[in-house]
Amino acid sequence: MNDTELESVLNSIARREWNGPGFNPGVERAIAERKQAMGKKNRTFLIALITGASLLTAGVATAVTIHFTSYRATVEIDGLPPMQGEFILNDDNSGATFIADDGTTYVFEGPGTEVTDDQREPSGE
Amino acid sequence: MGVTRLALQLAAPLRKETSGEALAIERARRDPEAFGELYRAHYHAIAAYFLRRTGDEALAEDLAADTFIAALQGLKRYRDTGAGFRAWLYRIAANTASRWYTRSGAQRVRNLAHAEANAGERDENSHQIALVREAIETLSERDKAVLTLAYFAPMTTAQIALVLRVPEGTVKSRLARARQALGAQIERLTKEEGERP
């Protein structure tokens, strides 16, 4: 194949248009799941705030600090089978620590970190 | 095959983030449902990129889904570098395609590339198209990214520079090198084909 032919083939491929559907059930599902997961997370925070406020009102405490950064999670790391454990986000969300049920600890940080919120579930107060 | 000529077939320039889109991104960060607006606006372009790259409609749908799901999950990390939201999606798409190739292996890519040529014959160059697709997937990640963004997105060298965060001159030289490497791979695959019983 000479240069002209190669150019022609590349352009021929580039001309192919997408005639399939304009939506994707997988993406729609992911959006719905994420929305649900975020709702769950927000509800947990709301319960925490109400609990904190109640403690303050009742004079049981003068200051309440509640950290909701720990979740049960399934984590998949390249080449390893999925692991269940506790997922603890850093305070600034810049990374996380995952403590697998077998006690192994993984620290996620830096540009490669990708936290998939929709797989997390609040582990309870 | 010495290749120095870079005549790119360019479609309309990538849409720079409009204020409407910037607002949609902000909304989507807070409410995943608002991400639907972004995904519907760019789905066609991303699916077409995968279709051109793989030649398989069902696979293109799956890879487009993976791309948008990754974008949804990583939206809080998105920063406009001047290239716009679609350019960011293309970057994710290029990574998604690379992961697919790593998972699938060369033989599957070869089968896929040639299945279209054998079954459809939609184009008189079907066999050559299959050969070129197969050859592209054997290139280095760097060559693949620049070549597929230039031809299958398609983007200008200036846009690719913003996506890959390298100077425009670097894109031009990478593109020239990628074309050369592609020519060499095509030659190798053609020779292999000739030797097959």
Side-chain angles (χ1 to χ4, degrees), chain A residues 7 11 16 18 21 28 37 49 64-65 73 77 86 91-94 105-106 110 113 120:
Chain A
E7 190 65 34
N11 287 330
R16 187 150 177 206
W18 176 253
E28 306 274 353
L49 286 172
V64 180
T65 307
I77 299 171
E86 202 75 352
D91 286 347
D92 62 356
N93 279 356
S94 64
T105 302
Y106 298 89
T113 304
R120 283 186 276 142

Side-chain angles (χ1 to χ4, degrees), chain B residues 59-109:
Chain B
L59 179 61
E61 276 194 77
D62 288 347
L63 295 175
D66 289 349
T67 300
F68 281 100
I69 291 169
L72 173 66
Q73 290 170 345
L75 195 59
K76 63 184 168 194
R77 289 196 302 275
Y78 169 71
R79 299 282 177 278
D80 182 22
T81 56
F85 187 69
R86 186 174 289 185
W88 185 66
L89 289 174
Y90 276 130
R91 190 186 169 92
I92 300 174
N95 291 337
T96 303
S98 293
R99 278 200 299 276
W100 157 72
Y101 177 73
T102 309
R103 281 198 312 266
S104 306
Q107 189 55 48
R108 164 139 168 71
V109 173

